[in-house]
Amino acid sequence: MADPVIARIRSNPKYAELKQKRSGFGWMLTLLMMVVYYGYIALIAFNKEFLGQRIGEGVTTVGVPIGMGVIVFTIIITGIYVRRANDEFDRLTREILQEVSK
């Protein structure tokens, strides 16, 4: 026998909206991350000459800032997700729980 509170939550239209928005946003960020990460890996695999080019007269190559960019991109999209989760997703969750507890 299912918990009646859970059944009311699942039947709430805002719950379906929350699931759709959260899943869609998560998949979009996942796709972006995969494109960036696997793009970098593809560069490593298929264009070593490009990544091995030196920047200026030093020993740093093009691959170093691109690799750092991948790391920074990961941090940025994590921050974007956390911000949206703390704002929109948490607001929807509160609304759902308030409606169900009435």
Side-chain angles (χ1 to χ4, degrees), residues 11-86:
S11 66
N12 190 310
K14 286 185 180 179
Y15 178 70
E17 177 187 356
L18 173 64
K19 281 178 48 177
Q20 178 189 10
K21 285 183 176 183
R22 191 180 57 200
S23 293
F25 190 60
W27 281 112
M28 181 190 64
L29 292 180
T30 299
L31 180 63
L32 280 172
M33 187 65 233
M34 290 180 75
V35 166
V36 169
Y37 179 76
Y38 287 111
Y40 182 62
I41 297 302
L43 274 174
I44 292 169
F46 301 113
N47 202 351
K48 290 182 179 105
E49 298 79 26
F50 170 71
L51 291 176
Q53 294 176 15
R54 291 180 187 235
I55 298 175
E57 297 297 319
V59 295
T60 304
T61 63
V62 171
V64 172
I66 293 175
M68 290 176 68
V70 171
I71 294 167
V72 169
F73 181 77
T74 303
I75 294 167
I76 289 170
I77 66 169
T78 300
I80 290 169
Y81 183 84
V82 168
R83 184 178 192 131
R84 187 164 179 193
N86 287 341

Side-chain angles (χ1 to χ4, degrees), residues 3-19 22 92-102:
D3 186 349
V5 174
I6 293 173
R8 287 196 315 248
I9 289 172
R10 287 184 176 162
S11 66
N12 190 310
K14 286 185 180 179
Y15 178 70
E17 177 187 356
L18 173 64
K19 281 178 48 177
R22 191 180 57 200
L92 275 171
T93 301
R94 280 191 305 274
E95 290 173 8
I96 293 165
L97 292 175
Q98 286 174 350
E99 290 177 12
V100 169
S101 64
K102 290 180 182 179

